[in-house]
Amino acid sequence: MAEQPLSDVERIKTASRFLRGSLKESLADPVTGAISDDDTQLIKFHGSYQQDDRDVRELRRKQKLEPDYQFMLRTRLPGGVCTPEQWLKLDQLAQTYANNSLRLTTRQAFQVHGVIKWNLKKVIAEMNQVMLDTLAACGDVNRNIMCAVNPYRGDLYREVTQMADKLSLHLLPATGAYHEIWLDGEPVVTEEHEPIYGETYLPRKFKTAIVIPPVNDVDVFAHDLGFIAIVENGSIVGYNVTVGGGMGVTYAMPETYPRLADVIGFVTPDQVLDVAAAVVTTQRDFGNRSDRRLARLKYTIDRMGLDAFVAEVEQRSGIQLAPQRDYTFSNTGDQPGWMQGDDGSWHLTLQIPSGRIKDDDQQQTLTALRAVAESIQEIEPARFILTPNQNLVIANIPDDQRSSIDQLLISHGLQDFYLPSALRQHTLACVAFPTCSQAMSEAERYMPEFLDRFEGILAEFGLENEPIVLRMTGCPNGCARPYMAEIGLTGKAPGRYNLYLGGGFDGQRLNQLYRENIDEDGIFGELTPLLRQFAEQRNLDEHFGDFLHRMELLPPVQEAA
Ligand code: SRM
Ligand code: SF4
C-alpha cells in the first residue's frame, strides 16, 4: 500500500521544538485575541483550547468584528482529587478571569471557560501556586488518568489513587516548554528529548483509567488503556489490562466506530508502569499519522490484530501478561448522599447537573462550595473528588462536621443534589454550546428541559424510580460516552439527534443506532412505546438496555470494523 502523507498536525508537532512553536509570540501579539493557527494545535498539549462564544459568532460577523476569542483551560488532576485550598483557588480564578463557573468534566478534571488570551498566563501561574497544572490535559499524549472514586473503600482506594498519580507522572511529557512559556522557567539549554513520546508525540489523544470492581464508574472499556483492580482477601493483587476502547465517530464515515476495550491479561502492581509505557510506545510507532480520524489506538489494534498488538507490548515491556482474572461489574453510577468509609470518616457525594458549578436563581452552587471549602480548609485529610459522572465527593469529613456542611449546602438550594431522581443519577451531558467548536446541537443547556419531560413519561408508567443510563452529546465525538448508555443521544443539527439504545447498565456493552436525525417529539415518540412495554413485560430487576436485547427490539448489530 502506498505511504500516505502525514497529517498537518504532524508537521506542526515536528517543527514545534517540543511543543514550543510560536506560542510566546502568539500570546504577546496585541492585534488579535487569537493565537496563530499552528499554535492552536500546540496549546492543546498545554491544556488549553482556543474557542469563541458561538452565541455571538453570527452577530460579531455581521458587525465585522473578529470572533469573541477565548480559551478553555483543563486541569491535569489524577483521579479527580484536589484539596480545599486548590478548590478555592480555582473558584477565585473562575470569578476573576473566566465565566464565573467551573465545569467538572466526564474525566474527573476541571475546566474553566472564557479566559481571554491576555489572562491565560496569569491563570496558569496562579494555578501553579497551589500545585495545579494543565500540562497534557489535552493534546496527543496520555491525558488525565481517571481512577475509581470510592474513598469509603479505604486502603484499596488509596492504593489505586497512588497508582493513578504514579502513572500520570510516568506518562507526562518531559518537555520544559510548559515551564518556559507559562511559568517563566529558564529556557532548556541542554539537548532535550522525550523518552516515551519522541519529538512527534502520539498520533492522537490517549486515555487511561483505573477501576475497582464492582463499580465501573470510570467506564473502563471506553479507554485506550485500562487497569481493572483484582482484589483478593481485601488487597489488590494486580490488575487486568484493557486496551483499545474509544467512543469518537465521524458521521458519514463508516470506517469510524465506537469500540469497547479488550481485556488482554493480568499484571502485578509493579508491572503496571512498564506495560503502560509499552502500550503507549506501540501506539506511538504503529498508529496512523496520516488520517487523524483513524488514528486512535482502537484502529491501530484492529489494523494490527489484537494478538500481534499484545505480542508487541510484551516484547517492549519484557513482561509476559498472565491470564486475566475474574471480575464483575454492576453499574457505572455514583451513589449520592453521605457514606461512611472503612476508617469511620464520612464522604458526601453530590449529584451536580452536567458538572456545572455556578450560581443561578435556584442554586448557588459556586458560592455554597466556596463556603464548604473554607469551612474544611483546616481538616487535613479533607478533599474534593471529581467523579467520572461529573459529580463531586466531599471526602474525609469527621462526623461532627457533617451537619454544618449540610446546612451550608441546603441554605444555598442544593438539597436536590443529595437525592436526585434515579434517572438524573445516571445522566451525563457534554458541554456543547456555546463554547465547543464541534457542537451541532445543545447538550448541557438542553438537558434540564429534556429531563423534565422524560421524567413525566417515566412517572406515567410507574418507572420514576428506575435507574436508566441516559447520555447526551452535541456531536458524535462522544464526550459523555453516549455509545455506552442505555439511551444515547448524539447531536446532528440544532434540535436534532441520533438515538442509540441498548447499552449495558454496567458499562460492558455498546448501544446501537436506533433512529437518525430526530427532534424531541421524535425521540419521545420512539421511547414512549418501548418504555410502556418495559414497564409491562420486564423481568424483576431487569435493566432497560437488557430488556431491549431480550425482547429483540433493537436492529441487528452492524459490524463497523
Ligand atoms: Fe471531548 C473534543 C469536551 C471527554 C471524545 N471534547 C472535545 C473538545 C475539546 C472540542 C474540540 O475539539 O474543540 C470539547 C471542549 C468543549 C468545551 O467547550 O469545553 C470536549 N470532552 C470534553 C469534556 C469537557 C466533556 C464534558 O462535558 O465533560 C470532557 C473532558 C474530559 C477531560 O477532562 O479530559 C471530554 N471527549 C471526552 C470523552 C469521554 C472520556 O474520555 O471518557 C470522549 C470519548 C472517549 C474517547 O476519547 O474516545 C471524548 N472529545 C472527544 C473527541 C473524539 C475523539 C475521537 O477519537 O474521535 C473529540 C474531537 C477530537 O478529538 O478530534 C473531543
Ligand atoms: Fe463538543 Fe461534541 Fe464533545 Fe459535546 S461531544 S463537548 S459537542 S466535541
Side-chain angles (χ1 to χ4, degrees):
M1 201 171 70
E3 190 109 320
Q4 300 292 312
L6 294 178
S7 75
D8 202 40
V9 179
E10 292 302 319
R11 172 193 62 77
I12 296 169
K13 287 186 282 187
T14 311
S16 76
R17 297 170 295 118
F18 296 102
L19 307 179
R20 288 172 179 80
S22 56
L23 271 166
K24 273 191 174 175
E25 293 74 14
S26 272
L27 292 172
D29 181 355
V31 176
T32 167
I35 57 177
S36 79
D37 282 353
D38 283 7
D39 289 336
T40 60
Q41 294 302 327
L42 295 175
I43 201 168
K44 296 179 188 176
F45 293 78
H46 300 256
S48 179
Y49 270 72
Q50 177 176 300
Q51 304 182 317
D52 72 289
D53 183 345
R54 294 185 62 184
D55 284 347
V56 297
R57 191 185 274 181
E58 191 50 25
L59 181 69
R60 289 179 69 94
R61 195 186 60 77
K62 283 190 186 140
Q63 293 172 339
K64 300 198 171 17
L65 294 169
E66 77 170 10
D68 182 15
Y69 289 121
Q70 43 181 264
F71 291 78
M72 172 268 273
L73 272 167
R74 188 184 287 167
T75 57
R76 181 177 65 89
L77 200 68
V81 185
C82 75
T83 62
E85 186 198 13
Q86 290 171 326
W87 182 282
L88 288 170
K89 174 53 78 179
L90 289 166
D91 168 88
Q92 177 228 319
L93 293 173
Q95 292 180 75
T96 317
Y97 300 114
N99 64 355
N100 270 314
S101 85
L102 292 170
R103 181 57 155 65
L104 317 185
T105 75
T106 53
R107 302 201 71 252
Q108 299 180 281
F110 289 97
Q111 283 189 180
V112 288
H113 290 99
V115 180
I116 57 168
K117 181 174 89 170
W118 292 279
N119 287 335
L120 264 179
K121 210 172 146 175
K122 272 184 263 186
V123 175
I124 293 180
E126 288 205 33
M127 284 184 183
N128 186 59
Q129 288 167 7
V130 291
M131 312 288 282
L132 282 174
D133 68 70
T134 61
L135 176 60
C138 319
D140 296 344
V141 282
N142 178 66
R143 299 189 172 188
N144 194 37
I145 306 247
M146 286 172 73
C147 182
V149 176
N150 30 26
Y152 46 89
R153 293 191 71 183
D155 289 346
L156 298 183
Y157 171 72
R158 267 186 290 281
E159 199 174 328
V160 289
T161 44
Q162 278 165 12
M163 185 61 86
D165 275 336
K166 275 200 269 182
L167 254 181
S168 179
L169 282 179
H170 193 59
L171 299 178
L172 203 61
T175 174
Y178 186 85
H179 275 79
E180 254 174 68
I181 295 169
W182 306 107
L183 305 171
D184 294 327
E186 289 296 316
V188 176
V189 282
T190 52
E191 202 180 317
E192 222 174 355
H193 72 292
E194 285 279 8
I196 290 186
Y197 294 111
E199 65 172 355
T200 49
Y201 296 85
L202 296 182
R204 202 62 165 89
K205 56 173 62 165
F206 189 93
K207 300 178 174 179
T208 304
I210 308 176
V211 68
I212 311 177
V215 180
N216 185 11
D217 52 355
V218 302
D219 256 326
V220 70
F221 298 105
H223 288 78
D224 297 277
L225 173 63
F227 294 95
I228 303 173
I230 302 297
V231 180
E232 285 173 12
N233 301 321
S235 48
I236 296 174
V237 292
Y239 298 86
N240 281 345
V241 183
T242 65
V243 292
M247 296 281 96
V249 167
T250 306
Y251 289 142
M253 207 177 145
E255 58 273 47
T256 65
Y257 46 86
R259 185 185 190 279
L260 288 182
D262 295 291
V263 183
I264 57 170
F266 171 87
V267 293
T268 51
D270 59 308
Q271 295 174 325
V272 166
L273 298 191
D274 289 339
V275 167
V279 171
V280 170
T281 61
T282 305
Q283 162 67 350
R284 177 195 68 198
D285 297 342
F286 288 84
N288 181 332
R289 289 185 185 259
S290 303
D291 187 344
R292 290 181 63 79
R293 290 166 306 182
L294 301 175
R296 291 293 292 273
L297 179 67
K298 59 184 174 180
Y299 303 117
T300 311
I301 290 176
D302 284 344
R303 202 162 21 81
M304 288 175 77
L306 187 62
D307 291 345
F309 180 82
V310 173
E312 186 67 32
V313 169
E314 289 186 329
Q315 194 257 319
R316 285 174 185 235
S317 60
I319 292 166
Q320 193 166 10
L321 302 177
Q324 61 165 291
R325 307 261 178 111
D326 291 343
Y327 61 93
T328 312
F329 284 125
S330 55
N331 68 304
T332 56
D334 298 332
Q335 180 66 51
W338 284 104
M339 193 176 281
Q340 191 169 26
D342 294 350
D343 62 358
S345 64
W346 288 87
H347 316 285
L348 173 62
T349 303
L350 296 171
Q351 201 267 346
I352 314 278
S354 300
R356 182 65 69 181
I357 309 285
K358 61 169 189 195
D359 288 352
D360 60 27
D361 294 345
Q362 274 98 44
Q363 281 113 6
Q364 292 79 54
T365 314
L366 192 68
T367 305
L369 291 168
R370 183 184 316 131
V372 171
E374 280 162 356
S375 77
I376 60 176
Q377 224 176 344
E378 304 303 324
I379 303 173
E380 180 355 71
R383 294 286 181 272
F384 288 96
I385 308 175
L386 282 51
T387 86
N389 289 298
Q390 301 171 320
N391 294 328
L392 182 67
V393 181
I394 304 172
N396 306 332
I397 303 299
D399 196 20
D400 60 2
Q401 296 290 316
R402 288 168 59 205
S403 65
S404 61
I405 291 179
D406 289 340
Q407 268 169 29
L408 282 174
L409 295 173
I410 290 166
S411 65
H412 288 92
L414 272 57
Q415 56 280 1
D416 290 350
F417 295 5
Y418 280 67
L419 197 57
S421 71
L423 179 66
R424 282 170 207 257
Q425 270 178 53
H426 295 87
T427 294
L428 292 179
C430 76
V431 178
F433 284 100
T435 51
C436 179
S437 65
Q438 311 280 312
M440 302 176 186
S441 59
E442 297 280 354
E444 178 186 329
R445 295 198 297 195
Y446 169 51
M447 190 50 118
E449 188 187 323
F450 184 85
L451 283 172
D452 287 345
R453 183 163 170 192
F454 197 2
E455 283 179 334
I457 294 169
L458 289 174
E460 251 178 65
F461 301 128
L463 292 172
E464 61 274 25
N465 295 322
E466 185 58 32
I468 297 178
V469 179
L470 164 71
R471 296 175 179 178
M472 181 190 288
T473 57
C475 85
N477 282 331
C479 297
R481 302 183 285 274
Y483 309 109
M484 313 289 291
E486 294 181 284
I487 302 174
L489 292 161
T490 62
K492 226 12 214 228
R496 304 188 77 85
Y497 297 83
N498 281 0
L499 171 64
Y500 294 79
L501 295 177
F505 188 73
D506 53 9
Q508 299 198 84
R509 183 181 60 227
L510 290 172
N511 53 25
Q512 292 164 227
L513 179 60
Y514 190 74
R515 290 288 178 271
E516 278 186 84
N517 200 14
I518 50 177
D519 63 7
E520 185 180 301
D521 287 339
I523 295 167
F524 287 116
E526 297 295 344
L527 288 178
T528 304
L530 295 173
L531 290 164
R532 181 182 296 116
Q533 209 176 338
F534 177 54
E536 289 166 0
Q537 298 175 31
R538 66 186 298 200
N539 289 332
L540 188 68
D541 294 333
E542 189 174 32
H543 288 288
F544 185 53
D546 297 338
F547 171 80
L548 296 174
H549 276 272
R550 180 173 63 80
M551 301 295 284
E552 298 181 359
L553 295 168
L554 298 172
V557 184
Q558 289 171 9
E559 262 310 323

